[in-house]
Amino acid sequence: MMHYSRNALRGWSRVLAPAFDGPPPFDVATRAWSADGRLLRVDLQALEIPIALADIPVELRTDRDDTSWPFSKKGAVKQIYLSEVSGDLADWLLDEVGLRVDAAQVPSWPVDIEAMTGFDYRGDRQVVVNVRGEQTRLRRRLFGSELLATCALCARDLPVSLLVTAHIKRRSDTTIAERSREDIVMAACSLGCDSMFELGYVTVARDGTIEKGPRRTPMTVELELALAAIVGRTCGAWSSSTERYFAYHRRWQKAAARRYGLG
């Protein structure tokens, strides 16, 4: 889903489950739309740079003329709260946002157990969160409009929906200047490589070789097999310029393993 407000597209989201009947997600009875209705749970991602209405080609906005289309004959936004966008306009928006959708990227609908049990649902709580402003640009840098890409650790070719923009140096420890660098991240798969690197089970040596990290516990036979599958490989993201980030990762993980007794 794309989210529009104040003359610009400001975010996109993935629908988490089918809509269901319920009260509004706020407790102010006098607020507009305070009656029960249909709830739709989404995972919202803010765009670091909103896409202004004027930047959307007018020929794409006026490609169709029907009641379900979000734009008028002149390309202005209609007062519509949920409408389907398809065709060339959808392709253009996916490219601009840095997303591509194929069958492998669309998860099957999860069973909404909570909606079926009939408990007294009072709506989701509103919270304020910080959004990583550079995330969209970094993901676009890694994957562009490709449907498949390679994990920098296990070297498996996978759908980009199974790959994350993994920070080599912990993002919380990066400077503002480092956060603007595109080589601060690498593609790591969510099949295990991202977690093994982040938790210190593997590190990347100064020559680019993947080696066992300082964290050795807790350990299982299955985890040992997963480690053995990538240890000894050459990390696809290692270079002379990224070595300083991998060196930081090695130092931080060694200190953390020692501090928490995980070695």
Side-chain angles (χ1 to χ4, degrees), residues 132-192:
R132 296 183 175 185
E134 77 278 12
Q135 192 72 7
T136 302
R137 175 180 57 77
L138 290 175
R139 189 167 180 84
R140 184 180 299 178
R141 176 258 175 183
L142 285 179
F143 308 123
S145 60
E146 297 297 323
L147 294 176
L148 303 175
T150 303
C151 174
L153 296 171
C154 67
R156 286 180 287 189
D157 292 327
L158 297 165
V160 297
S161 57
L162 290 175
L163 295 165
V164 301
T165 51
H167 275 75
I168 301 170
K169 179 180 179 180
R170 279 168 35 103
R171 184 183 183 275
S172 59
D173 296 337
T174 56
T175 64
I176 297 299
E178 286 175 332
R179 291 182 187 181
S180 67
R181 292 184 60 89
E182 295 181 343
D183 60 357
I184 196 75
V185 296
M186 65 178 175
C189 73
S190 56
L191 300 181

Side-chain angles (χ1 to χ4, degrees), residues 202-220:
V202 295
T203 55
V204 176
R206 63 182 61 192
D207 63 353
T209 302
I210 300 171
E211 57 186 8
K212 280 191 174 182
R215 179 167 183 167
R216 304 299 171 87
T217 184
M219 182 62 65
T220 65

